[in-house]
Amino acid sequence: MKNYRFALLLALSFVLAAAAFAFGSGKANSVSIGQPVADFKLPDVDGHEHSLASLKGKNGTVIIFLSAQCPVVRAYGERIEKLAEDYSARGVNVVGINSNVTESTDDIKRHISDNKFSFVVLRDKGNKVADMLGAEHTPETFFLDASNKLVYHGRIDNNRDATRVQSNDLRDAIDATLAGKPVVKTEAAAIGCSIKRG
């Protein structure tokens, strides 16, 4: 009886330890507001490797986690491209990242083409960058200032229906930073689909 109880406790402790590790792994390396984001390298859909340093904007960088299949990302397609167009002239670059193990390169290429994205979309196989930033959803954004310091994290705006948007959180953060002002709302929970990890 003692051996059975001991074996049960041992098995239970392993399960709890594994659960704690799995639960914490997505956020363990996440970057907090005010911290710099380390440089990373990922390939684009054609296999060409890019670093964050090579893609960053002179005045800031928006990293957006995307999905080719998520209906919420599809609803944001035009807004994401408009954001990229509006801010590229002001020295802020948009970088797309797809971390979903369930999506093929062809899926991602089609998504880029359908939305006429003018920015680079990278493949994050193994969720290396998603885990580093603590990204959980698509679309989920991270806005870095000129020195790669994280100044905003979260949603693009408050509604997937463009006609019902009342709060442009990401644009507000970019505009404040470009004006040399502090970002009032540094975080707003991202709405969308969960990133499909391996």
PDB file of all heavy atoms in Angstrom, residues 23-53:
ATOM      1  N   PHE A  23       2.780  25.373 -19.000  1.00  0.00           N
ATOM      2  CA  PHE A  23       2.028  26.614 -18.793  1.00  0.00           C
ATOM      3  C   PHE A  23       2.948  27.828 -18.830  1.00  0.00           C
ATOM      4  O   PHE A  23       2.634  28.852 -19.404  1.00  0.00           O
ATOM      5  CB  PHE A  23       1.292  26.572 -17.444  1.00  0.00           C
ATOM      6  CG  PHE A  23       0.527  27.821 -17.144  1.00  0.00           C
ATOM      7  CD1 PHE A  23      -0.702  28.059 -17.742  1.00  0.00           C
ATOM      8  CD2 PHE A  23       1.031  28.779 -16.270  1.00  0.00           C
ATOM      9  CE1 PHE A  23      -1.412  29.212 -17.477  1.00  0.00           C
ATOM     10  CE2 PHE A  23       0.325  29.944 -15.997  1.00  0.00           C
ATOM     11  CZ  PHE A  23      -0.895  30.158 -16.599  1.00  0.00           C
ATOM     12  N   GLY A  24       4.118  27.679 -18.253  1.00  0.00           N
ATOM     13  CA  GLY A  24       5.025  28.806 -18.175  1.00  0.00           C
ATOM     14  C   GLY A  24       5.871  29.024 -19.410  1.00  0.00           C
ATOM     15  O   GLY A  24       6.384  30.109 -19.620  1.00  0.00           O
ATOM     16  N   SER A  25       6.009  28.017 -20.270  1.00  0.00           N
ATOM     17  CA  SER A  25       6.951  28.122 -21.380  1.00  0.00           C
ATOM     18  C   SER A  25       6.621  29.229 -22.358  1.00  0.00           C
ATOM     19  O   SER A  25       7.505  29.868 -22.898  1.00  0.00           O
ATOM     20  CB  SER A  25       7.060  26.784 -22.121  1.00  0.00           C
ATOM     21  OG  SER A  25       5.814  26.435 -22.683  1.00  0.00           O
ATOM     22  N   GLY A  26       5.339  29.486 -22.592  1.00  0.00           N
ATOM     23  CA  GLY A  26       4.961  30.532 -23.528  1.00  0.00           C
ATOM     24  C   GLY A  26       5.337  31.911 -23.029  1.00  0.00           C
ATOM     25  O   GLY A  26       5.663  32.791 -23.797  1.00  0.00           O
ATOM     26  N   LYS A  27       5.275  32.136 -21.726  1.00  0.00           N
ATOM     27  CA  LYS A  27       5.509  33.466 -21.160  1.00  0.00           C
ATOM     28  C   LYS A  27       6.858  33.592 -20.460  1.00  0.00           C
ATOM     29  O   LYS A  27       7.227  34.677 -20.059  1.00  0.00           O
ATOM     30  CB  LYS A  27       4.392  33.788 -20.147  1.00  0.00           C
ATOM     31  CG  LYS A  27       3.016  33.937 -20.757  1.00  0.00           C
ATOM     32  CD  LYS A  27       2.881  35.258 -21.463  1.00  0.00           C
ATOM     33  CE  LYS A  27       1.470  35.456 -21.974  1.00  0.00           C
ATOM     34  NZ  LYS A  27       1.350  36.669 -22.757  1.00  0.00           N
ATOM     35  N   ALA A  28       7.572  32.489 -20.314  1.00  0.00           N
ATOM     36  CA  ALA A  28       8.801  32.502 -19.513  1.00  0.00           C
ATOM     37  C   ALA A  28       9.794  33.549 -19.999  1.00  0.00           C
ATOM     38  O   ALA A  28      10.433  34.215 -19.202  1.00  0.00           O
ATOM     39  CB  ALA A  28       9.441  31.127 -19.527  1.00  0.00           C
ATOM     40  N   ASN A  29       9.952  33.681 -21.304  1.00  0.00           N
ATOM     41  CA  ASN A  29      10.934  34.604 -21.842  1.00  0.00           C
ATOM     42  C   ASN A  29      10.308  35.903 -22.333  1.00  0.00           C
ATOM     43  O   ASN A  29      10.943  36.649 -23.065  1.00  0.00           O
ATOM     44  CB  ASN A  29      11.693  33.933 -23.003  1.00  0.00           C
ATOM     45  CG  ASN A  29      12.419  32.690 -22.548  1.00  0.00           C
ATOM     46  OD1 ASN A  29      12.943  32.651 -21.455  1.00  0.00           O
ATOM     47  ND2 ASN A  29      12.428  31.663 -23.368  1.00  0.00           N
ATOM     48  N   SER A  30       9.043  36.157 -21.982  1.00  0.00           N
ATOM     49  CA  SER A  30       8.368  37.319 -22.535  1.00  0.00           C
ATOM     50  C   SER A  30       9.047  38.621 -22.110  1.00  0.00           C
ATOM     51  O   SER A  30       9.630  38.728 -21.035  1.00  0.00           O
ATOM     52  CB  SER A  30       6.887  37.327 -22.147  1.00  0.00           C
ATOM     53  OG  SER A  30       6.743  37.427 -20.755  1.00  0.00           O
ATOM     54  N   VAL A  31       8.983  39.596 -23.010  1.00  0.00           N
ATOM     55  CA  VAL A  31       9.608  40.898 -22.799  1.00  0.00           C
ATOM     56  C   VAL A  31       8.574  41.839 -22.186  1.00  0.00           C
ATOM     57  O   VAL A  31       7.445  41.919 -22.650  1.00  0.00           O
ATOM     58  CB  VAL A  31      10.123  41.462 -24.142  1.00  0.00           C
ATOM     59  CG1 VAL A  31      10.756  42.830 -23.951  1.00  0.00           C
ATOM     60  CG2 VAL A  31      11.115  40.498 -24.784  1.00  0.00           C
ATOM     61  N   SER A  32       8.968  42.570 -21.157  1.00  0.00           N
ATOM     62  CA  SER A  32       8.070  43.516 -20.497  1.00  0.00           C
ATOM     63  C   SER A  32       8.187  44.901 -21.122  1.00  0.00           C
ATOM     64  O   SER A  32       9.198  45.221 -21.760  1.00  0.00           O
ATOM     65  CB  SER A  32       8.412  43.615 -19.004  1.00  0.00           C
ATOM     66  OG  SER A  32       8.266  42.359 -18.384  1.00  0.00           O
ATOM     67  N   ILE A  33       7.154  45.698 -20.923  1.00  0.00           N
ATOM     68  CA  ILE A  33       7.164  47.083 -21.401  1.00  0.00           C
ATOM     69  C   ILE A  33       8.397  47.793 -20.823  1.00  0.00           C
ATOM     70  O   ILE A  33       8.695  47.681 -19.638  1.00  0.00           O
ATOM     71  CB  ILE A  33       5.875  47.826 -20.981  1.00  0.00           C
ATOM     72  CG1 ILE A  33       4.634  47.192 -21.634  1.00  0.00           C
ATOM     73  CG2 ILE A  33       5.963  49.314 -21.331  1.00  0.00           C
ATOM     74  CD1 ILE A  33       4.571  47.254 -23.138  1.00  0.00           C
ATOM     75  N   GLY A  34       9.113  48.495 -21.694  1.00  0.00           N
ATOM     76  CA  GLY A  34      10.310  49.220 -21.278  1.00  0.00           C
ATOM     77  C   GLY A  34      11.603  48.450 -21.478  1.00  0.00           C
ATOM     78  O   GLY A  34      12.687  49.028 -21.415  1.00  0.00           O
ATOM     79  N   GLN A  35      11.488  47.133 -21.753  1.00  0.00           N
ATOM     80  CA  GLN A  35      12.684  46.316 -21.969  1.00  0.00           C
ATOM     81  C   GLN A  35      13.035  46.268 -23.462  1.00  0.00           C
ATOM     82  O   GLN A  35      12.150  46.331 -24.312  1.00  0.00           O
ATOM     83  CB  GLN A  35      12.453  44.878 -21.488  1.00  0.00           C
ATOM     84  CG  GLN A  35      12.386  44.716 -19.987  1.00  0.00           C
ATOM     85  CD  GLN A  35      12.267  43.249 -19.592  1.00  0.00           C
ATOM     86  OE1 GLN A  35      11.654  42.453 -20.284  1.00  0.00           O
ATOM     87  NE2 GLN A  35      12.860  42.903 -18.460  1.00  0.00           N
ATOM     88  N   PRO A  36      14.330  46.140 -23.788  1.00  0.00           N
ATOM     89  CA  PRO A  36      14.711  45.998 -25.199  1.00  0.00           C
ATOM     90  C   PRO A  36      14.399  44.596 -25.715  1.00  0.00           C
ATOM     91  O   PRO A  36      14.437  43.629 -24.961  1.00  0.00           O
ATOM     92  CB  PRO A  36      16.218  46.252 -25.177  1.00  0.00           C
ATOM     93  CG  PRO A  36      16.649  45.865 -23.793  1.00  0.00           C
ATOM     94  CD  PRO A  36      15.484  46.169 -22.889  1.00  0.00           C
ATOM     95  N   VAL A  37      14.077  44.519 -26.992  1.00  0.00           N
ATOM     96  CA  VAL A  37      13.845  43.229 -27.651  1.00  0.00           C
ATOM     97  C   VAL A  37      15.139  42.826 -28.347  1.00  0.00           C
ATOM     98  O   VAL A  37      15.685  43.592 -29.151  1.00  0.00           O
ATOM     99  CB  VAL A  37      12.676  43.314 -28.661  1.00  0.00           C
ATOM    100  CG1 VAL A  37      12.572  42.043 -29.488  1.00  0.00           C
ATOM    101  CG2 VAL A  37      11.364  43.591 -27.927  1.00  0.00           C
ATOM    102  N   ALA A  38      15.638  41.656 -28.013  1.00  0.00           N
ATOM    103  CA  ALA A  38      16.896  41.171 -28.591  1.00  0.00           C
ATOM    104  C   ALA A  38      16.740  40.898 -30.089  1.00  0.00           C
ATOM    105  O   ALA A  38      15.665  40.541 -30.561  1.00  0.00           O
ATOM    106  CB  ALA A  38      17.328  39.891 -27.877  1.00  0.00           C
ATOM    107  N   ASP A  39      17.825  41.080 -30.810  1.00  0.00           N
ATOM    108  CA  ASP A  39      17.830  40.805 -32.247  1.00  0.00           C
ATOM    109  C   ASP A  39      17.560  39.311 -32.472  1.00  0.00           C
ATOM    110  O   ASP A  39      17.913  38.468 -31.648  1.00  0.00           O
ATOM    111  CB  ASP A  39      19.181  41.194 -32.845  1.00  0.00           C
ATOM    112  CG  ASP A  39      19.137  41.268 -34.369  1.00  0.00           C
ATOM    113  OD1 ASP A  39      18.058  41.555 -34.928  1.00  0.00           O
ATOM    114  OD2 ASP A  39      20.191  41.045 -34.994  1.00  0.00           O
ATOM    115  N   PHE A  40      16.897  39.007 -33.565  1.00  0.00           N
ATOM    116  CA  PHE A  40      16.633  37.607 -33.926  1.00  0.00           C
ATOM    117  C   PHE A  40      16.713  37.465 -35.434  1.00  0.00           C
ATOM    118  O   PHE A  40      16.692  38.462 -36.164  1.00  0.00           O
ATOM    119  CB  PHE A  40      15.264  37.155 -33.412  1.00  0.00           C
ATOM    120  CG  PHE A  40      14.094  37.984 -33.901  1.00  0.00           C
ATOM    121  CD1 PHE A  40      13.552  37.808 -35.177  1.00  0.00           C
ATOM    122  CD2 PHE A  40      13.527  38.943 -33.073  1.00  0.00           C
ATOM    123  CE1 PHE A  40      12.482  38.562 -35.615  1.00  0.00           C
ATOM    124  CE2 PHE A  40      12.452  39.720 -33.505  1.00  0.00           C
ATOM    125  CZ  PHE A  40      11.927  39.527 -34.782  1.00  0.00           C
ATOM    126  N   LYS A  41      16.823  36.218 -35.890  1.00  0.00           N
ATOM    127  CA  LYS A  41      16.863  35.932 -37.331  1.00  0.00           C
ATOM    128  C   LYS A  41      15.816  34.875 -37.657  1.00  0.00           C
ATOM    129  O   LYS A  41      15.717  33.857 -36.962  1.00  0.00           O
ATOM    130  CB  LYS A  41      18.248  35.421 -37.744  1.00  0.00           C
ATOM    131  CG  LYS A  41      19.316  36.485 -37.737  1.00  0.00           C
ATOM    132  CD  LYS A  41      20.657  35.926 -38.215  1.00  0.00           C
ATOM    133  CE  LYS A  41      21.733  37.003 -38.167  1.00  0.00           C
ATOM    134  NZ  LYS A  41      23.040  36.492 -38.577  1.00  0.00           N
ATOM    135  N   LEU A  42      15.048  35.133 -38.714  1.00  0.00           N
ATOM    136  CA  LEU A  42      14.049  34.180 -39.200  1.00  0.00           C
ATOM    137  C   LEU A  42      14.017  34.238 -40.726  1.00  0.00           C
ATOM    138  O   LEU A  42      14.297  35.286 -41.306  1.00  0.00           O
ATOM    139  CB  LEU A  42      12.648  34.532 -38.665  1.00  0.00           C
ATOM    140  CG  LEU A  42      12.348  34.318 -37.181  1.00  0.00           C
ATOM    141  CD1 LEU A  42      10.949  34.851 -36.859  1.00  0.00           C
ATOM    142  CD2 LEU A  42      12.462  32.855 -36.795  1.00  0.00           C
ATOM    143  N   PRO A  43      13.612  33.145 -41.372  1.00  0.00           N
ATOM    144  CA  PRO A  43      13.481  33.170 -42.831  1.00  0.00           C
ATOM    145  C   PRO A  43      12.133  33.729 -43.270  1.00  0.00           C
ATOM    146  O   PRO A  43      11.144  33.626 -42.542  1.00  0.00           O
ATOM    147  CB  PRO A  43      13.602  31.686 -43.204  1.00  0.00           C
ATOM    148  CG  PRO A  43      13.036  30.973 -42.015  1.00  0.00           C
ATOM    149  CD  PRO A  43      13.394  31.799 -40.810  1.00  0.00           C
ATOM    150  N   ASP A  44      12.103  34.312 -44.473  1.00  0.00           N
ATOM    151  CA  ASP A  44      10.829  34.715 -45.052  1.00  0.00           C
ATOM    152  C   ASP A  44      10.227  33.515 -45.795  1.00  0.00           C
ATOM    153  O   ASP A  44      10.761  32.402 -45.721  1.00  0.00           O
ATOM    154  CB  ASP A  44      10.993  35.945 -45.957  1.00  0.00           C
ATOM    155  CG  ASP A  44      11.914  35.701 -47.161  1.00  0.00           C
ATOM    156  OD1 ASP A  44      12.105  34.524 -47.569  1.00  0.00           O
ATOM    157  OD2 ASP A  44      12.444  36.690 -47.703  1.00  0.00           O
ATOM    158  N   VAL A  45       9.134  33.732 -46.501  1.00  0.00           N
ATOM    159  CA  VAL A  45       8.458  32.606 -47.168  1.00  0.00           C
ATOM    160  C   VAL A  45       9.247  32.028 -48.342  1.00  0.00           C
ATOM    161  O   VAL A  45       8.949  30.940 -48.824  1.00  0.00           O
ATOM    162  CB  VAL A  45       7.034  33.004 -47.643  1.00  0.00           C
ATOM    163  CG1 VAL A  45       6.118  33.192 -46.455  1.00  0.00           C
ATOM    164  CG2 VAL A  45       7.066  34.259 -48.507  1.00  0.00           C
ATOM    165  N   ASP A  46      10.286  32.749 -48.795  1.00  0.00           N
ATOM    166  CA  ASP A  46      11.140  32.242 -49.870  1.00  0.00           C
ATOM    167  C   ASP A  46      12.439  31.644 -49.336  1.00  0.00           C
ATOM    168  O   ASP A  46      13.317  31.263 -50.106  1.00  0.00           O
ATOM    169  CB  ASP A  46      11.460  33.367 -50.871  1.00  0.00           C
ATOM    170  CG  ASP A  46      10.209  33.843 -51.600  1.00  0.00           C
ATOM    171  OD1 ASP A  46       9.419  32.984 -52.042  1.00  0.00           O
ATOM    172  OD2 ASP A  46      10.006  35.073 -51.706  1.00  0.00           O
ATOM    173  N   GLY A  47      12.559  31.590 -48.001  1.00  0.00           N
ATOM    174  CA  GLY A  47      13.731  30.982 -47.389  1.00  0.00           C
ATOM    175  C   GLY A  47      14.892  31.929 -47.147  1.00  0.00           C
ATOM    176  O   GLY A  47      15.945  31.514 -46.675  1.00  0.00           O
ATOM    177  N   HIS A  48      14.716  33.222 -47.470  1.00  0.00           N
ATOM    178  CA  HIS A  48      15.786  34.203 -47.239  1.00  0.00           C
ATOM    179  C   HIS A  48      15.739  34.661 -45.786  1.00  0.00           C
ATOM    180  O   HIS A  48      14.695  35.076 -45.291  1.00  0.00           O
ATOM    181  CB  HIS A  48      15.634  35.409 -48.173  1.00  0.00           C
ATOM    182  CG  HIS A  48      15.582  35.051 -49.621  1.00  0.00           C
ATOM    183  ND1 HIS A  48      16.620  34.416 -50.277  1.00  0.00           N
ATOM    184  CD2 HIS A  48      14.601  35.212 -50.547  1.00  0.00           C
ATOM    185  CE1 HIS A  48      16.300  34.217 -51.541  1.00  0.00           C
ATOM    186  NE2 HIS A  48      15.070  34.686 -51.731  1.00  0.00           N
ATOM    187  N   GLU A  49      16.883  34.597 -45.119  1.00  0.00           N
ATOM    188  CA  GLU A  49      16.941  34.948 -43.700  1.00  0.00           C
ATOM    189  C   GLU A  49      17.029  36.456 -43.494  1.00  0.00           C
ATOM    190  O   GLU A  49      17.727  37.155 -44.221  1.00  0.00           O
ATOM    191  CB  GLU A  49      18.133  34.250 -43.047  1.00  0.00           C
ATOM    192  CG  GLU A  49      18.031  34.201 -41.535  1.00  0.00           C
ATOM    193  CD  GLU A  49      19.072  33.289 -40.915  1.00  0.00           C
ATOM    194  OE1 GLU A  49      20.231  33.735 -40.806  1.00  0.00           O
ATOM    195  OE2 GLU A  49      18.722  32.158 -40.534  1.00  0.00           O
ATOM    196  N   HIS A  50      16.292  36.937 -42.505  1.00  0.00           N
ATOM    197  CA  HIS A  50      16.308  38.359 -42.145  1.00  0.00           C
ATOM    198  C   HIS A  50      16.504  38.470 -40.642  1.00  0.00           C
ATOM    199  O   HIS A  50      16.008  37.645 -39.877  1.00  0.00           O
ATOM    200  CB  HIS A  50      14.973  39.033 -42.495  1.00  0.00           C
ATOM    201  CG  HIS A  50      14.599  38.960 -43.933  1.00  0.00           C
ATOM    202  ND1 HIS A  50      14.901  39.951 -44.841  1.00  0.00           N
ATOM    203  CD2 HIS A  50      13.928  37.998 -44.622  1.00  0.00           C
ATOM    204  CE1 HIS A  50      14.431  39.615 -46.031  1.00  0.00           C
ATOM    205  NE2 HIS A  50      13.847  38.432 -45.922  1.00  0.00           N
ATOM    206  N   SER A  51      17.183  39.523 -40.221  1.00  0.00           N
ATOM    207  CA  SER A  51      17.299  39.811 -38.796  1.00  0.00           C
ATOM    208  C   SER A  51      16.365  40.969 -38.463  1.00  0.00           C
ATOM    209  O   SER A  51      15.971  41.744 -39.349  1.00  0.00           O
ATOM    210  CB  SER A  51      18.734  40.191 -38.440  1.00  0.00           C
ATOM    211  OG  SER A  51      19.095  41.403 -39.088  1.00  0.00           O
ATOM    212  N   LEU A  52      16.022  41.094 -37.204  1.00  0.00           N
ATOM    213  CA  LEU A  52      15.230  42.250 -36.770  1.00  0.00           C
ATOM    214  C   LEU A  52      16.009  43.533 -37.087  1.00  0.00           C
ATOM    215  O   LEU A  52      15.430  44.519 -37.549  1.00  0.00           O
ATOM    216  CB  LEU A  52      14.934  42.163 -35.268  1.00  0.00           C
ATOM    217  CG  LEU A  52      14.226  43.368 -34.640  1.00  0.00           C
ATOM    218  CD1 LEU A  52      12.869  43.629 -35.285  1.00  0.00           C
ATOM    219  CD2 LEU A  52      14.062  43.162 -33.131  1.00  0.00           C
ATOM    220  N   ALA A  53      17.323  43.494 -36.883  1.00  0.00           N
ATOM    221  CA  ALA A  53      18.162  44.669 -37.146  1.00  0.00           C
ATOM    222  C   ALA A  53      18.071  45.132 -38.601  1.00  0.00           C
ATOM    223  O   ALA A  53      18.111  46.325 -38.888  1.00  0.00           O
ATOM    224  CB  ALA A  53      19.617  44.367 -36.773  1.00  0.00           C
TER     225      ALA A  53
END
